[in-house]
Amino acid sequence: MKGFHEQDLAEGHGAVYLPYALERKYAGAARDWSWQYFFPAREVSTDPRSGVVRRHHVDPAVVNKAIKVAARRVGLTKVISAHSFRHSFATHLLQRGTDIRTIQELLGHSDVATTMIYTHVIQQGGQGVPSPLDDLP
């Protein structure tokens, strides 16, 4: 990833799109490594809005295809996508006793009722909640 960015900078590219207010507030941030995409595309392309040549993020369909191929290779028969990891993340947080409001914020849900959907998956009663006394030495 960083190699792509360094190559792009050397070729006169290397800036990601930032909304105008961010671009103005943080001059030069668009070229900074910390603002680059975590999953960059393999090739640079021309931004159709501005005409600027830059590296965009990888297409989500590419990620989902790789996940499906990996699932098939290990023998999973269940349909799986990148979104499956989001569900798994929320479920594991609940199993660890994370507060539902914290999970709501992490997932970006505006309504806690959306987050509550994950509670039916774990189906654990009071015995699944760790006691604060368990943390004592």
Side-chain angles (χ1 to χ4, degrees), residues 37-135:
Y37 289 111
F38 194 75
F39 293 108
R42 287 185 186 181
E43 304 292 331
V44 294
S45 60
T46 303
D47 186 323
R49 294 172 298 211
S50 66
V52 174
V53 176
R54 63 175 95 233
R55 189 176 304 276
H56 296 276
H57 57 80
V58 69
D59 187 321
V62 173
V63 175
N64 275 326
K65 184 176 180 182
I67 291 169
K68 287 177 183 174
V69 168
R72 204 172 24 248
R73 280 186 186 158
V74 298
L76 293 179
T77 56
K78 185 171 174 76
V79 176
I80 184 170
S81 70
H83 198 76
S84 303
F85 293 113
R86 181 178 169 87
H87 291 292
S88 180
F89 175 70
T91 301
H92 286 290
L93 286 175
L94 280 169
Q95 288 172 329
R96 294 179 65 204
T98 304
D99 174 81
I100 193 76
R101 296 282 183 185
T102 301
I103 297 170
Q104 174 190 2
E105 187 174 323
L106 287 170
L107 296 179
H109 294 159
S110 57
D111 187 351
V112 76
T114 307
T115 313
M116 294 294 290
I117 293 168
Y118 296 103
T119 60
H120 83 281
V121 176
I122 60 172
Q123 296 178 354
Q124 63 186 23
Q127 73 276 9
V129 177
S131 167
L133 299 175
D134 293 338
D135 293 334

